[in-house]
Amino acid sequence: MLTESADLRESSSAQSLKIRLQETLTLCSKSTQGDDSGQTDNVVSELVYFLDSVSDAALSDPENDDAKKNAYEVLREIYKYLSSASLDQEVIDVLSFKLPKAVSMFAGVSDSCLVTSESIIDWFIEMCNPRDMLPVLCEALSTSSGTDTASHHIAPLLSGLSKVFLSIKRCHFEQVKEAVPVILDVLKAVCSESDDGPTQFMDLFDRTIKIAGSIHAVCVKLECNVNGKLRALLGLYVLYIMAIVSVSWTDKVSSCLPLVSQLSHFLPYCSLSYLGLITGSDVDQITSIIVGDDDDDVYLNFLSYVKLGSCVSVIWGFNADEVAWAANENLSAVKDELRSNRINRWQAVGMLKHIFSSINLPWDLKKHTFDFLLCIMDGNTSHKCSGEHQDNSIYMPTLFAALQAITLAIIYTPETVLRKNAYEAFKKVLADIPTTMRFDILQALITNCDSSSMIAVLIDLVRDEMCLESLQRKSVGQSEDLHPEDQARENTVFWTASVLELVELILKPPKGAPPSLPEFGDAVLSALNLYRFTLLAEASDKTNYTGVMSKNSLQKAYNEWLLPLRTLVIGVMAENNNDYGQFATDIVCALNPVELVLYRCIELVEEKLRHPT
């Protein structure tokens, strides 16, 4: 008896919804027959409100089968009403501005609702002017991205846009150019916020790839001038989607190879080559075509993601032969070109910084990127090549940014092997920079680094370079390749007063206070070792390239660096020596090497001050 009563209430509820919907639709038809546009707007608003309430009821309670059934029946009734042969075009036009968004909200209720909502949107596209439907769908898309179920209900809107593009008769480039930013912004937002996982992403990306297919189909039909601009826009769109796919994929990276391959198929048609993508020249070209002489902020804001997509598309090809085949590329030829051409190689390193600095990109992709970087740096001897003294300064800011991004990967990578590869890549890139500029790069990296351990590594690299220069200086008599003045200049690049500035930066930070211990213990230890090495080397060789042996320099180091640091170390050690907790023990153990090297530096300086040479 209770079951029969529940069934009766359910039937009554569904019937009342259907009656209310039919009454509202009847009012819609009648309202357009009069002159009162305000009444028409009110009726349409009432219809939209009704639809929103039905979809909200189903979405808010996913386990409620009755709500799902009601939602589906309401959609069917809408489609039946729109398909009526007697429906006036004026009614269709009025409803076309509001219903696409309202029915798209049903897409997350069930698969049958998704299919029906797509059918309704397709019907509007067929019956209305595509130039009117394009902004309607774009507005619906942009206002839907902030909702919890956005990944579901933007799906029919994306499919609708792919069909609208095919229906546009004129001004193709201008209209597609207006729509593409909306699509990309919404897709990026939805993928970064959604927890639906790869399965749902696959559906969304399939629909975005269909949009690329529609743009491609339009390109084929156009004349050369407009075709070229639209092809550039297609290229930008594909590269941006490539970046979103790479960043958003939460499953095994290899599982998205089919999507990446589909996207790569468009690259040759857009005149995008792996060499042009990895050096950035192709990105510059398509950007100039799209933006032109106007500073189009919308598209300029896309550049960082487009560049990420540009270089990651090459890494996908490096990682999987089927992707390179889809792009119609020969990776061996690309790698050979980068190995043999230093400028192209530097440009490639500059582009790869977008991968290294991306916090959301899977570590697997970064691993392949370091493998690629090591591959193109293999066997290069550019630092020995002629042209060492050419003006390469325009490339240094980009290389600095790339090295800085690599240091972040070294610091934060979760795997030892990857950290080792990242460090090897860092050293190879650094070695590829002309000697005359290498110190400035290292100095800038140290100055702009917050990690004590990384600063220590960078200071040790400075010391390694000084050792190398010292050896080269000692063998200078055996070399006949360079003029003596050139030899002297090359072999004293790191042996300058700037080395002492680096030491001071760590031992006496710019704010004047002593360095923070034990937090900056690694950096302090490396700085002390660098100072001790410099002092001993200059004393042994009876030179003073750095000025470390001058009385004023020794007095400054003693009074301003070493003695304040000794006071600090003694204080921290005293604080923790009587504490038998594990944390205090760790602090004492960490500071023991610092204390030993510090006292050795003090002894050396005191000796030099007593017996100046």
Side-chain angles (χ1 to χ4, degrees):
M1 197 69 180
L2 289 173
T3 304
E4 290 179 5
S5 177
D7 289 343
L8 186 61
R9 285 196 303 271
E10 175 195 331
S11 175
S12 175
S13 174
Q15 189 64 25
S16 63
L17 284 174
K18 188 173 181 179
I19 292 172
R20 181 181 169 189
L21 175 59
Q22 289 174 341
E23 290 175 349
T24 307
L25 292 173
T26 301
L27 285 175
C28 283
S29 297
K30 290 181 179 179
S31 66
T32 58
Q33 296 173 4
D35 296 329
D36 189 352
S37 60
Q39 182 185 1
T40 303
D41 292 340
N42 290 336
V43 174
V44 173
S45 296
E46 184 181 340
L47 175 60
V48 170
Y49 178 79
F50 170 78
L51 293 175
D52 287 345
S53 64
V54 174
S55 61
D56 286 345
L59 291 169
S60 61
D61 187 6
E63 303 302 320
N64 189 333
D65 291 335
D66 294 340
K68 289 183 178 180
K69 184 178 179 181
N70 290 339
Y72 177 60
E73 291 300 328
V74 164
L75 275 184
R76 282 187 61 191
E77 195 64 28
I78 288 285
Y79 187 65
K80 180 181 176 182
Y81 168 77
L82 292 173
S83 303
S84 172
S86 60
L87 191 62
D88 189 78
Q89 182 64 40
E90 190 174 353
V91 178
I92 297 172
D93 291 339
V94 169
L95 294 176
S96 68
F97 287 98
K98 298 294 183 181
L99 253 57
K101 179 184 176 182
V103 300
S104 72
M105 302 301 290
F106 286 77
V109 174
S110 65
D111 289 342
S112 56
C113 285
L114 170 60
V115 172
T116 308
S117 64
E118 284 185 315
S119 298
I120 293 172
I121 291 174
D122 288 349
W123 186 88
F124 277 119
I125 293 171
E126 183 180 344
M127 299 301 294
C128 301
N129 188 326
R131 295 188 67 178
D132 292 333
M133 287 306 301
L134 186 62
V136 168
L137 293 177
C138 285
E139 183 182 359
L141 199 61
S142 62
T143 55
S144 299
S145 61
T147 59
D148 294 336
T149 57
S151 60
H152 295 279
H153 61 248
I154 68 170
L157 299 171
L158 292 173
S159 293
L161 281 168
S162 68
K163 292 161 187 170
V164 167
F165 287 159
L166 293 172
S167 303
I168 295 172
K169 302 301 181 185
R170 58 180 65 87
C171 299
H172 301 85
F173 172 74
E174 289 75 12
Q175 295 194 66
V176 175
K177 185 182 177 183
E178 290 296 318
V180 161
V182 178
I183 299 168
L184 297 179
D185 280 339
V186 170
L187 188 67
K188 181 183 177 184
V190 168
C191 289
S192 62
E193 297 167 4
S194 175
D195 296 324
D196 291 331
T199 302
Q200 187 61 37
F201 287 157
M202 181 69 82
D203 179 63
L204 290 181
F205 289 131
D206 279 342
R207 294 169 190 271
T208 57
I209 290 174
K210 286 179 181 177
I211 290 175
S214 295
I215 299 174
H216 173 265
V218 174
C219 285
V220 172
K221 296 186 293 186
L222 296 178
E223 296 178 357
C224 291
N225 187 30
V226 180
N227 173 294
K229 295 172 73 174
L230 197 54
R231 275 196 300 159
L233 186 54
L234 174 59
L236 181 144
Y237 176 85
V238 166
L239 294 178
Y240 200 101
I241 298 298
M242 188 79 78
I244 297 178
V245 169
S246 303
V247 168
S248 304
W249 209 257
T250 56
D251 204 354
K252 289 183 178 179
V253 168
S254 59
S255 64
C256 69
L257 287 178
L259 281 175
V260 173
S261 294
Q262 289 180 67
L263 289 167
S264 297
H265 271 296
F266 292 103
L267 299 179
Y269 180 76
C270 299
S271 300
L272 300 176
S273 68
Y274 273 1
L275 184 61
L277 290 172
I278 199 62
T279 60
S281 59
D282 281 356
V283 175
D284 293 339
Q285 185 173 1
I286 63 174
T287 302
S288 65
I289 292 173
I290 296 168
V291 177
D293 296 329
D294 304 324
D295 290 333
D296 193 330
D297 292 339
V298 173
Y299 277 92
L300 291 177
N301 290 337
F302 284 164
L303 266 183
S304 63
Y305 236 59
V306 172
K307 288 181 177 180
L308 174 60
S310 178
C311 50
V312 85
S313 63
V314 179
I315 299 304
W316 279 117
F318 174 73
N319 178 42
D321 291 340
E322 62 265 38
V323 176
W325 180 86
N328 195 25
E329 284 287 349
N330 181 350
L331 251 300
S332 296
V334 174
K335 289 184 287 187
D336 288 343
E337 172 62 25
L338 294 175
R339 289 191 191 105
S340 62
N341 188 314
R342 182 165 66 174
I343 299 303
N344 281 345
R345 188 166 60 249
W346 284 354
Q347 290 173 335
V349 171
M351 285 293 289
L352 292 175
K353 76 175 182 290
H354 295 283
I355 292 180
F356 299 136
S357 60
S358 174
I359 60 175
N360 296 318
L361 204 65
W363 281 106
D364 273 358
L365 269 179
K366 291 187 178 182
K367 175 183 179 298
H368 294 308
T369 305
F370 280 119
D371 290 343
F372 177 80
L373 182 53
L374 287 170
C375 183
I376 65 173
M377 303 301 296
D378 258 357
N380 93 73
T381 54
S382 60
H383 55 288
K384 297 178 182 177
C385 296
S386 60
E388 177 81 3
H389 304 298
Q390 292 177 357
D391 183 14
N392 296 309
S393 57
I394 59 172
Y395 301 103
M396 293 306 111
T398 301
L399 289 172
F400 166 74
L403 287 168
Q404 198 170 34
I406 296 175
T407 63
L408 293 177
I410 295 172
I411 294 169
Y412 294 111
T413 177
E415 297 180 10
T416 303
V417 173
L418 183 53
R419 186 179 300 111
K420 179 182 177 182
N421 286 347
Y423 181 57
E424 287 301 313
F426 180 93
K427 290 194 297 183
K428 283 182 177 290
V429 173
L430 186 66
D432 204 25
I433 296 172
T435 310
T436 53
M437 300 176 180
R438 212 175 297 158
F439 179 83
D440 291 338
I441 292 287
L442 279 169
Q443 185 177 38
L445 288 169
I446 292 169
T447 303
N448 290 278
C449 186
D450 295 326
S451 166
S452 174
S453 298
M454 194 67 232
I455 290 173
V457 170
L458 294 170
I459 291 176
D460 288 346
L461 287 174
V462 171
R463 193 176 63 194
D464 290 345
E465 291 285 348
M466 293 176 72
C467 287
L468 181 61
E469 281 188 358
S470 182
L471 291 173
Q472 290 171 341
R473 220 172 27 244
K474 289 174 182 177
S475 61
V476 68
Q478 302 173 10
S479 175
E480 300 177 358
D481 295 337
L482 295 173
H483 188 277
E485 290 182 4
D486 291 333
Q487 291 177 334
R489 180 169 59 250
E490 287 205 358
N491 295 327
T492 55
V493 171
F494 280 78
W495 288 87
T496 67
S498 296
V499 170
L500 299 183
E501 292 175 9
L502 279 184
V503 174
E504 183 174 39
L505 180 68
I506 307 303
L507 302 186
K508 184 186 175 184
K511 292 183 179 179
S516 179
L517 293 177
E519 293 84 357
F520 263 72
D522 290 342
V524 169
L525 179 60
S526 285
L528 287 170
N529 275 322
L530 177 61
Y531 181 73
R532 182 179 64 167
F533 165 77
T534 305
L535 192 60
L536 289 172
E538 296 273 38
S540 174
D541 294 343
K542 294 182 173 53
T543 56
N544 195 24
Y545 297 113
T546 61
V548 70
M549 299 296 293
S550 68
K551 183 177 180 181
N552 287 342
S553 177
L554 291 167
Q555 202 71 54
K556 178 181 179 179
Y558 189 73
N559 294 327
E560 297 183 20
W561 305 348
L562 304 178
L563 293 185
L565 184 59
R566 181 177 68 179
T567 302
L568 175 64
V569 170
I570 290 173
V572 175
M573 295 285 273
E575 268 181 43
N576 292 276
N577 268 327
N578 297 325
D579 188 336
Y580 297 101
Q582 186 60 49
F583 182 69
T585 303
D586 290 343
I587 290 176
V588 171
C589 291
L591 288 183
N592 275 333
V594 174
E595 186 179 35
L596 289 172
V597 179
L598 171 61
Y599 278 108
R600 179 58 180 141
C601 288
I602 290 174
E603 290 170 2
L604 285 171
V605 172
E606 287 176 343
E607 181 183 347
K608 295 302 177 186
L609 286 173
R610 284 195 302 268
H611 307 289
T613 54

